[in-house]
């Protein structure tokens, strides 16, 4: 190992370099006269910056209007006038700064901010979230409402930067909140809010008076409305699934932005915009005439459901407004309240169509059947019992479908030995085997499709109920047995870790529903496997059905662990009833001996082929002819 020693030459070199640097610094230091001049220049710069900052604060600051503008001197007033023109008057009034006007109604506690003139806080008095915290629609700057406009002296200004003067008056039983951005005592831009007792719809108008010479009507005027949706439910991923921007446009059409990803759209003739947050909605309604157009966006803010996220989505809307005689006169509606069908329907503006009941026939079944039925039952029954009773009624109505399915299975079971014999006899002639099989089934009045078609009839009902329970506001925070909230999951065990797709808890109703589905499928699928013939070249249906017996319950167990417990309760009761109906039909209604006797009688009767059967026979013959021609060509 090499021994380390001091390098004397290096040390001398560093000392010399350091000495040279000191000498250079000494020679280049400023003289006393230069130091004094530099000091004076710095003082002048500081004074100039102070004056500049003071003027900027008085004139254009959007974040702090707390300066005492009453004490402005003439120079500062001129600077203010030069910055914002006629609207300098608003900055000389006592309302400058973040000051709040509080108003209460039967359903609201509202705070209006003088800065910007809009709502700074909207609290719903009759509701709390999953953690017993009051439900806020607007709070902590999650919402912004701004109008950008041009002036006749070529300025572009924003209402959110200016103070509004508040006043609260009464109009009969209604409370009127007026927020005015003043150019003078008689000229102003006004936000007018009229609040009715026990009503979630606020009559909101944007009007101007005496500003026709102030506005630059040749420049577009635009309303910019943004809002982050505040989380209110236990499962943020489940809540976010039903949080969506929905809108009505083009004379009654309803559409929505993407549910699971960022999205944007430009739309025309907009009648209303709904910022839906699952069970609560903020809706802007165009009362007089539709907005000519709107540019809307939706941004998903939930990146990871394991993180305790405060917001679910960010919605934005940019809406051009129209001048009328050089003034603004826009009558709107602002709804902050529950996403409840009966509440929204009362406004007669099709607002209830913002609720995702399902498209087409599925939504129609919910609106016409399940919503009125459940509303009737829950009017005199506890909500959990109402779900059970509705499930029983649905299963009774659909019991004929199960009867058709089991009758078809019974016929196929009886015919199976005969069909197997035909396939064995014509195993070298697939066309003949198919023709004979179809002939036997036709004479007996049995077909594999006859069991499938009744099952397909249940799909609209199944999907309609799948959409109904997660959107039923009546179930929110209504308990049953161990479930505290039928609109959310029924956790019986909280896990110290998170399982992907499953969650961090164990819900009991999905487990019960999965067990019921397993036994129901074991009984029905086992019967189908016993009657299902294996055909060469076709998928092994028996193997697929065997997998489905286990796959379906697992899917229920995992997927519904975060879903509404009311939906899992429905599936649990539904499958229990299906098992009972199946046992009754199998043991007491369908007599296989009688079915066999009917089949034998049916065989003796001449059976004409319908058009579909004839067409299928022709297609099979053509396919067989082509196959034989190809085989002959290969031999040559």
């Amino acid at each position: 190992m090499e021994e380390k020693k001091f390098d004397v030459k290096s040390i001398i070199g560093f000392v010399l370099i350091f000495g040279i640097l000191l000498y250079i610094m000494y020679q280049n230091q400023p003289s006393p006269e230069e130091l004094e001049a530099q000091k004076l220049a710095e003082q002048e710069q500081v004074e100039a910056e102070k004056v500049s900052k003071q003027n900027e604060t008085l004139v254009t600051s959007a974040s702090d209007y707390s300066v005492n503008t009453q004490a402005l001197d003439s120079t500062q007033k001129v600077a203010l006038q030069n910055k914002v023109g006629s609207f300098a008057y608003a900055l000389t009034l006592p309302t400058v700064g973040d000051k709040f006007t509080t108003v209460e109604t039967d359903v609201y506690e509202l705070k209006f901010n003088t800065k910007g003139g809009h709502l700074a806080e909207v609290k719903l008095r009759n509701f709390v979230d999953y953690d017993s915290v009051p439900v806020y629609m607007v709070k902590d700057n999650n919402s912004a409402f701004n109008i950008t406009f041009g002036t006749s002296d070529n300025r572009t200004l924003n209402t959110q930067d200016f103070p509004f003067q508040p006043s609260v008056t009464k109009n009969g039983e209604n409370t009127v909140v007026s927020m005015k951005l003043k150019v003078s005592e008689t000229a102003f831009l006004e936000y007018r809010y009229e609040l009715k007792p026990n009503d979630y719809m606020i009559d909101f108008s944007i009007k101007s008076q005496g500003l026709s010479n102030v506005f630059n009507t040749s420049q577009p005027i635009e309303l910019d409305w943004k809002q982050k949706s505040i989380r209110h439910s236990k499962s943020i991923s489940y809540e976010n699934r039903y949080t969506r921007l929905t809108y009505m446009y083009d004379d009654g059409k309803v559409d929505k932005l993407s549910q699971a990803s960022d999205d944007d759209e430009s739309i025309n003739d907009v009648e209303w915009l709904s910022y839906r947050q699952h069970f609560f909605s903020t809706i802007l309604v165009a009362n007089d005439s539709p907005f000519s157009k709107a540019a809307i966006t939706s941004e998903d803010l939930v990146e990871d459901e394991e993180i305790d996220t405060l917001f679910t989505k960010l919605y934005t809307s940019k809406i051009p407004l129209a001048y009328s005689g050089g003034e603004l006169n826009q009558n709107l509606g602002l709804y902050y309240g529950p996403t409840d069908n009966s509440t929204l329907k009362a406004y007669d503006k099709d607002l209830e169509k913002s609720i995702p009941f399902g498209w087409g026939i599925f939504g129609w079944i919910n609106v016409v059947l399940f919503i009125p039925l459940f509303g009737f039952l829950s009017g005199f029954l506890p909500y959990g019992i109402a779900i059970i009773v509705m499930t029983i009624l649905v299963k009774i109505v659909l019991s004929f479908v199960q009867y058709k399915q089991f009758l078809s299975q019974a016929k196929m079971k009886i015919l199976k030995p005969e069909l197997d014999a035909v396939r064995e006899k014509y195993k070298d002639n697939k066309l003949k085997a198919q023709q004979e099989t179809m002939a036997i089934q036709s004479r007996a009045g049995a077909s594999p499709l006859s069991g499938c078609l009744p099952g397909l009839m249940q799909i609209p009902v199944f999907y309609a109920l799948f959409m109904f329970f997660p959107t039923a506001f009546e179930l929110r925070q209504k308990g049953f047995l161990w479930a505290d909230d039928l609109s959310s999951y029924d956790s019986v065990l909280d896990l110290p870790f998170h399982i992907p797709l499953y969650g961090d808890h164990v819900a009991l109703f999905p487990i019960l529903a999965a067990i019921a589905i397993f036994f129901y499928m074991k009984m029905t699928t086992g019967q189908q496997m016993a009657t299902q013939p294996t055909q060469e070249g076709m998928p092994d249906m028996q193997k697929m059905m065997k997998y489905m017996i286990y796959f379906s319950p697992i899917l229920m167990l995992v997927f519904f662990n975060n879903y509404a417990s009311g939906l899992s309760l429905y599936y649990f009761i539904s499958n229990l009833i299906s098992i009972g109906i199946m046992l009754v039909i199998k043991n007491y209604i369908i007599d296989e001996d009688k079915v066999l006797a009917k089949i034998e009688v049916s065989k003796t009767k001449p059976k004409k082929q319908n058009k579909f059967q004839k067409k299928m026979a022709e297609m099979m013959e053509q396919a067989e002819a082509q196959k034989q021609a190809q085989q002959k060509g290969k031999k040559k």
Side-chain angles (χ1 to χ4, degrees), residues 254-322:
V254 177
D255 209 340
K256 52 191 77 69
L257 294 187
S258 175
Q259 171 185 342
S261 60
D262 298 349
D263 197 7
D264 62 87
E265 191 67 68
S266 293
I267 47 179
N268 299 321
D269 299 323
V270 185
E271 297 177 42
W272 49 255
L273 292 163
S274 172
Y275 291 178
R276 175 161 48 86
Q277 171 68 7
H278 198 182
F279 284 127
F280 298 95
S281 295
T282 302
I283 306 176
L284 181 65
V285 184
N287 281 334
D288 291 340
S289 59
F291 299 121
S292 60
K293 59 182 178 180
I296 56 178
T297 70
S298 174
E299 179 183 350
D300 191 355
L301 303 178
V302 181
E303 297 181 1
D304 190 341
E305 64 181 50
E306 296 183 54
I307 299 174
D308 190 17
T309 307
L310 180 61
F311 303 108
T312 53
K313 285 187 172 70
L314 168 63
Y315 300 129
T316 73
S317 298
K318 292 184 182 295
I319 306 167
L321 302 179

Side-chain angles (χ1 to χ4, degrees), residues 246 248 252 254 256 272 344 350-357:
T246 310
M248 177 175 280
V254 177
K256 52 191 77 69
W272 49 255
L344 294 174
D350 292 328
L351 301 181
E352 70 278 4
K353 291 182 179 179
S354 65
I355 304 174
F357 292 133

